[in-house]
Amino acid sequence: MGLFILQERIATLRRNLKRAKAASLTRLELHNVQVDDGPWMKAFNEIRRNSTEELKQLDALDADVEKGELDASEAWKRFSEIECLSEELFRECLEMLGGLVFREMKLDEQICRFADELIKECATSVANVPAFVIPSPDRVPPVDMRHVAHVRFPEWDLWALPLVAHEYGRVAIAGSDHARELVGKLAQAQYAELSGDADVLPEDVERRVQLLLADAFATFTTGPAYACALLLLRLDMVGASPAERAFVGQRADMVTGIVDALGPKGLVDTQIRGPLMSRWEEAVASQPPAAADSTDPLAPLDLDPAEVHAALKDAFYPGAAYTTANWHTAMQWGEEWKAQLGNDEEPSVPRDVMAAHRLRDALNASWYVRIGDADWETKGVRVTRLLCQKIIDVRAAAASGSGDKVRGTSRPEQGG
């Protein structure tokens, strides 16, 4: 049937998939990176599982081609689908291994360790497997179950740290039956509202809902610090099309709505949401007009943040939610720093750090100061890093002897 070239490509892709599977078994002898066994094994087990599945599909296609009963166009279509999945698998495998090697270079390994710890806190609060963090290009991986979070290179720093909660939110939602049901329910309801538009597909609605719920999860677990980092550092409307701006607006509405739902609106609104939104709205109003080259068929999509917040509380443990008690801690530490600045003193680490405190408390305290003092962007980095490290150290001291140890290599001894 003239499928010689197809058979050659099947053979080549088979070899490449076997290489990817072998790469996931490679032990990296790293000395500067610590990765918990669980996330590593989970991520690479899924790489191997996907490789095995795609090899089976490829073998089945090869067998059908050998029988000579498969239509040529259908054979090429099936190969193209397997090849597309495989290319993404190769890219992810390379990013994971390369990201760990990059961390070994210690350009700023402390930030990656803080990101690991922040994700571990999120995972513990929702009874899920944590992820490990790697530097990567600015892209959203299409697979949410790898248990790998990406710190955008080269922009990782203390202020962007809360943004890793969004990626872990995608993993947590994909790993929770209740949360997946929530996504499906919300997507179906939104699609019913938008189904009059022929350009709207159910999978597009579900994908949008997933991303907005990841924003909601990040704010729900991390607090106003995530909203500050997202609106002030990441969401970009400059040069964006009308469709892109509509999505940006939906994300901003979601995170600020979740901040409102975290506790008594008066407290959080006065201290951080109000100043944050005034700066955001000022930036939005100052943008040049977008080129009218496209519209967003999903722009009318309208999720109620208060309802999403309530649903997240039902889907995850009550302790997962950021609360007004957490915000009081952030304000207390932030006020100490403000007073020290006012007295021309070097900001110092608060003395009342306890094992119950979390990195999100330090990040929210620092953002609380920065929202009112732009100079804190540089002045506050040192003391916030010290506070994050103290929280980790105090918690580790409290847990000593519990058997919860982290290996000093990047790969578990027993393989996996």
Side-chain angles (χ1 to χ4, degrees):
M1 293 196 308
L3 292 176
F4 177 82
I5 292 178
L6 176 60
Q7 290 175 305
E8 287 294 310
R9 296 193 182 183
I10 289 174
T12 299
L13 184 55
R14 182 184 290 112
R15 287 193 297 271
N16 291 340
L17 282 168
K18 289 180 178 178
R19 290 190 184 108
K21 189 174 181 179
S24 70
L25 291 165
T26 300
R27 179 183 176 83
L28 295 179
E29 294 293 343
L30 306 180
H31 304 286
N32 300 319
V33 181
Q34 293 181 335
V35 176
D36 286 351
D37 292 2
W40 177 283
M41 293 172 65
K42 183 75 173 177
F44 278 94
N45 278 345
E46 288 169 358
I47 289 286
R48 288 192 289 279
R49 177 176 57 80
N50 290 153
S51 299
T52 300
E53 289 175 355
E54 288 166 27
L55 279 167
K56 288 180 180 178
Q57 294 178 34
L58 205 59
D59 288 342
L61 172 60
D62 197 19
D64 289 343
V65 171
E66 284 289 339
K67 292 176 185 177
E69 300 175 354
L70 192 65
D71 177 78
S73 63
E74 177 62 24
W76 276 105
K77 181 176 181 293
R78 282 172 55 183
F79 174 79
S80 178
E81 292 170 351
I82 300 170
E83 184 181 42
C84 183
L85 293 173
S86 300
E87 289 296 332
E88 184 57 41
L89 185 70
F90 302 151
R91 186 178 296 110
E92 288 189 74
C93 190
L94 180 62
E95 284 183 3
M96 289 166 66
L97 293 172
L100 284 171
V101 172
F102 205 89
R103 283 187 62 169
E104 176 72 357
M105 295 168 63
K106 295 185 70 173
L107 293 182
D108 195 343
E109 171 59 14
Q110 187 183 44
I111 287 296
C112 285
R113 290 202 309 272
F114 289 166
D116 287 336
E117 192 68 23
L118 186 64
I119 286 176
K120 188 185 297 183
E121 291 175 352
C122 288
T124 301
S125 69
V126 298
N128 207 331
V129 177
F132 65 90
V133 174
I134 59 172
S136 75
D138 181 23
R139 74 184 194 96
V140 178
V143 180
D144 297 329
M145 292 298 290
R146 293 280 188 251
H147 288 268
V148 178
H150 299 253
V151 180
R152 188 163 76 170
F153 175 78
E155 297 179 6
W156 66 62
D157 61 21
L158 181 80
W159 301 110
L161 197 55
L163 296 173
V164 301
H166 171 90
E167 286 206 42
Y168 187 71
R170 296 175 65 212
V171 174
I173 290 169
S176 165
D177 291 339
H178 290 303
R180 288 199 306 274
E181 290 174 6
L182 173 62
V183 169
K185 179 181 177 181
L186 291 174
Q188 289 176 7
Q190 292 295 319
Y191 180 70
E193 294 291 329
L194 302 173
S195 58
D197 190 332
D199 293 332
V200 174
L201 299 176
E203 53 266 33
D204 294 334
V205 175
E206 183 167 344
R207 190 176 302 111
R208 177 70 59 87
V209 169
Q210 286 173 335
L211 291 173
L212 291 173
L213 257 64
D215 280 329
F217 175 91
T219 316
F220 173 78
T221 56
T222 309
Y226 177 75
C228 291
L230 184 69
L231 268 63
L232 298 183
L233 305 182
R234 179 55 57 84
L235 289 186
D236 185 9
M237 304 185 76
V238 177
S241 68
E244 291 168 326
R245 292 191 182 190
F247 181 38
V248 165
Q250 288 172 341
R251 297 186 68 183
D253 290 343
M254 176 58 72
V255 298
T256 54
I258 296 294
V259 169
D260 281 344
L262 292 176
K265 182 177 179 181
L267 176 68
V268 180
D269 186 70
T270 300
Q271 298 293 346
I272 199 164
R273 186 192 182 280
L276 171 64
M277 285 308 297
S278 66
R279 288 164 174 76
W280 172 253
E281 291 167 359
E282 179 183 332
V284 170
S286 66
Q287 297 302 316
D293 57 352
S294 64
T295 58
D296 182 8
L298 299 180
L301 186 148
D302 185 23
L303 296 178
D304 183 346
E307 292 181 4
V308 170
H309 180 269
L312 289 175
K313 290 185 72 172
D314 289 339
F316 298 110
Y317 286 160
Y322 190 85
T323 66
T324 50
N326 302 131
W327 183 242
H328 278 294
T329 297
M331 286 196 301
Q332 177 184 329
W333 289 348
E335 288 298 335
E336 287 182 23
W337 288 336
K338 287 182 178 182
Q340 290 168 345
L341 289 173
N343 294 327
D344 292 326
E345 299 173 5
E346 182 72 19
S348 61
V349 176
R351 297 179 180 179
D352 60 342
V353 175
M354 299 181 293
H357 287 136
R358 295 162 62 175
L359 261 62
R360 69 183 184 184
D361 298 318
L363 297 174
N364 277 284
S366 208
W367 270 108
Y368 169 68
V369 179
R370 180 176 172 179
I371 268 300
D373 183 356
D375 291 339
W376 188 252
E377 177 190 359
T378 54
K379 292 179 180 178
V381 169
R382 183 193 67 86
V383 70
T384 308
R385 282 179 179 251
L386 291 174
L387 177 55
C388 286
Q389 190 60 55
K390 184 172 182 179
I391 290 171
I392 293 172
D393 293 342
V394 168
R395 189 161 52 218
S400 60
S402 66
D404 184 16
K405 298 179 180 179
V406 178
R407 296 183 186 274
T409 61
S410 67
R411 188 79 166 90
E413 295 287 347
Q414 70 272 26

